[in-house]
Amino acid sequence: MLSGTQRVVGAGQVDHEPSACGDYFLTIFNSGVPEECGRRPMEAGRFGSNEAAYEAAIRHCAGSILPMHLGEKLVNKIFGRSIQSHAAGLLAAMHCEAQIGMGDPPTLAVLQQKIGSPRTLASFFALLKLAGYIRAVPVEGDRRQKVLEPTHLLLDGLKTWLAHHLRCAEIAAVGLPAPGLADRLLSNADYGVRYVAGTRMLVARTREEMARDHAWAWFDRYDCGDRIALALARSHYDPVARDAREDWFPFEARSLASALGISHSHIRNVLNGAEARGYLSQDRGRGRLRLEQPFLDDMRTWHLTFWGWLAEVAHGAEQDPEAEGSR
């Protein structure tokens, strides 16, 4: 778990400085979460889910997360790089912390300090504002200061993305406190705010993990790299498209590029790089790919780890249902 004594030591480094909300969630996690959900990065993926449950979960993941990005060229342009997604996620988490009185609302300066790349983030948040995903609100008593607030476009999109992953976590049986949390996240406003507030540690851990050397982190460093990797996973686990004897499957890089709004050459470069690292093999003459075991193992470990972290957030977001329903 994150230590209450760790602090930000410089711009661009992982945000380990806990807010009051962070301490609140850590207290609940340490007292109520199953032990296996509290593992450190890339360890939670070693528990629990059997292979059949994992395959069902990753198939659902690819079939639900990837379509959120297909045909959404503007979304992929705005959120195609991981630093942008992490910054938007941190903004949403800090906003929800403030909503429940457990932290300060986000400002551009604070987000730049915690994520780094000040110029990139300034341009990114200006684009988010222009596209209607956030608004800048003057601080009462000091109109020169402005806090950044996510609009329903950003919050609804984030909650939908989290809900898809919560369904995956339920399928994979990684220790959620109750069934049906994905629907609850989308339908119960109070629970939604508490859950998103708890994802601040999710952003920190994900940034930390994506700085490591494994297959999923390697894909994530490229524009839309996670979407390319999900498309590979979807094809690999499709029993109709795959040659079960050899695990080869057809892969239309050009059509995927068109759907994501990125260049065909970019996808080809990613695939060639992945092949050089032993993550996949290409049969160029027949337009086929095969995922190799290092990629499959890292993908499994990463997703079970990530879904385990979602379970931690879910335990922290629990509250007396009667009190919740009375609001």
Side-chain angles (χ1 to χ4, degrees):
M1 303 301 298
L2 301 181
S3 167
T5 61
Q6 291 174 293
R7 301 187 62 80
V8 175
V9 294
Q13 299 191 18
V14 177
D15 173 20
H16 287 281
E17 181 182 12
S19 64
C21 185
D23 291 335
Y24 166 74
F25 277 97
L26 285 172
T27 300
I28 296 177
F29 292 158
N30 287 330
S31 63
V33 70
E35 180 184 356
E36 62 268 23
C37 291
R39 309 300 186 195
R40 287 305 296 138
M42 293 299 276
E43 293 182 5
R46 300 191 179 103
F47 77 89
S49 186
N50 60 42
E51 194 59 30
Y54 164 72
E55 288 197 12
I58 196 65
R59 191 177 294 114
H60 181 84
C61 179
S64 58
I65 298 294
L66 186 60
M68 292 183 67
H69 303 286
L70 298 179
E72 296 291 344
K73 297 181 181 181
L74 178 61
V75 171
N76 292 321
K77 181 69 174 177
I78 296 175
F79 299 103
R81 297 176 59 198
S82 59
I83 188 175
Q84 297 162 332
S85 295
H86 297 162
L90 181 58
L91 184 154
M94 292 181 68
H95 170 76
C96 288
E97 286 180 345
Q99 291 290 296
I100 58 177
M102 306 301 285
D104 295 324
T107 65
L108 176 60
V110 169
L111 291 166
Q112 288 172 324
Q113 178 195 24
K114 295 185 182 302
I115 298 291
S117 302
R119 291 184 180 179
T120 297
L121 288 194
S123 299
F124 170 60
F125 287 122
L127 182 59
L128 283 189
K129 183 179 177 183
L130 183 65
Y133 283 95
I134 66 171
R135 55 180 166 260
V137 179
V139 175
E140 186 175 352
D142 184 1
R143 299 189 66 83
R144 294 173 299 176
Q145 272 282 88
K146 293 183 179 181
V147 299
L148 301 180
E149 289 187 356
T151 68
H152 71 91
L153 287 177
L154 182 59
L155 287 174
D156 289 352
L158 175 61
K159 287 193 288 185
T160 298
W161 183 84
L162 288 168
H164 286 317
H165 276 296
L166 276 172
R167 292 189 180 98
C168 297
E170 186 169 347
I171 294 168
V174 296
L176 291 173
L181 293 183
D183 292 334
R184 186 177 171 195
L185 175 63
L186 296 176
S187 63
N188 187 297
D190 287 347
Y191 182 77
V193 170
R194 292 200 310 278
Y195 194 93
V196 175
T199 61
R200 181 166 172 176
M201 72 86 172
L202 199 68
V203 175
R205 289 188 185 179
T206 298
R207 294 189 67 218
E208 189 176 78
E209 196 56 52
M210 291 303 105
R212 299 178 190 272
D213 185 24
H214 56 79
W216 199 265
W218 182 85
F219 275 91
D220 192 63
R221 289 171 197 140
Y222 290 89
D223 286 0
C224 292
D226 58 336
R227 288 133 201 169
I228 297 170
L230 275 177
L232 292 170
R234 183 178 64 173
S235 295
H236 174 82
Y237 287 106
D238 181 350
V240 176
R242 190 176 68 181
D243 181 341
R245 294 172 300 171
E246 297 181 332
D247 288 337
W248 291 94
F249 54 84
F251 192 77
E252 295 290 338
R254 194 173 298 277
S255 62
L256 178 63
S258 177
L260 293 176
I262 57 179
S263 71
H264 175 245
S265 62
H266 175 68
I267 293 185
R268 295 305 322 170
N269 288 338
V270 173
L271 295 178
N272 291 339
E275 183 177 38
R277 293 179 69 92
Y279 296 150
L280 56 83
S281 297
Q282 301 185 74
D283 180 353
R284 292 172 175 81
R286 300 176 66 180
R288 303 187 307 171
L289 296 178
R290 181 181 65 203
L291 300 186
E292 302 298 348
Q293 204 60 45
F295 176 76
L296 294 171
D297 289 345
D298 284 354
M299 178 169 63
R300 183 184 196 277
T301 302
W302 162 245
H303 280 90
L304 289 176
T305 297
F306 183 73
W307 296 334
W309 294 343
L310 289 179
E312 289 191 48
V313 177
H315 280 272
E318 282 299 294
Q319 178 176 298
D320 182 353
E322 291 186 5
E324 183 176 89
S326 66
R327 296 186 181 183

